[in-house]
Amino acid sequence: MRQRRKFTSEFKTKVVLETLSERKSLAEIAKKHSILPVQISSWRKQFLDTCSMVFDNEQSATHEDRSEEIRGLYEVIGKQQVQLDYLKKQTCFANTKRDEN
């Protein structure tokens, strides 16, 4: 049995933009990329339905800023966890010395 092919989003975008340029027919583009025209039509519809969100959503522009901020916060959490573990060990060590005396 033949496995399903998986296409990257970059490839899908390239094919859809090729159809939007209208230099070649849908059938020609489908033949060129060995894809059914129905599949390309589906990708094109999906693209056109969601393309307006690019301009509505400011999150895409700040996505890198947020990921950098999150990375920094995880770094702080890691440092605090190391400090907490160290203090717990010191407290445990101090308690065992006090119990010995």
Side-chain angles (χ1 to χ4, degrees), residues 6-20:
K6 297 191 188 246
F7 300 101
T8 64
S9 57
E10 290 84 12
F11 176 77
K12 291 177 185 180
T13 304
K14 177 184 160 192
V15 172
V16 168
L17 291 176
E18 198 173 335
T19 63
L20 292 174

Side-chain angles (χ1 to χ4, degrees), residues 12-35:
K12 291 177 185 180
T13 304
K14 177 184 160 192
V15 172
V16 168
L17 291 176
E18 198 173 335
T19 63
L20 292 174
S21 70
E22 297 181 352
R23 292 185 182 151
K24 295 181 181 177
S25 70
L26 188 64
E28 290 173 328
I29 296 170
K31 186 175 182 178
K32 174 183 171 185
H33 295 290
S34 301
I35 304 171

Side-chain angles (χ1 to χ4, degrees), residues 49-86:
D49 289 345
T50 59
C51 68
S52 65
M53 292 188 328
V54 170
F55 300 110
D56 291 342
N57 193 354
E58 293 179 12
Q59 291 179 354
S60 61
T62 61
H63 179 69
E64 288 183 24
D65 295 338
R66 287 188 179 174
S67 64
E68 192 66 36
E69 181 182 1
I70 290 170
R71 191 174 300 118
L73 292 173
Y74 275 120
E75 186 177 318
V76 170
I77 290 170
K79 288 178 182 177
Q80 289 179 345
Q81 186 63 45
V82 169
Q83 291 173 351
L84 183 61
D85 290 344
Y86 174 77

Side-chain angles (χ1 to χ4, degrees), residues 81 83-93:
Q81 186 63 45
Q83 291 173 351
L84 183 61
D85 290 344
Y86 174 77
L87 292 173
K88 283 181 182 178
K89 288 179 184 177
Q90 292 300 320
T91 305
C92 183
F93 182 71

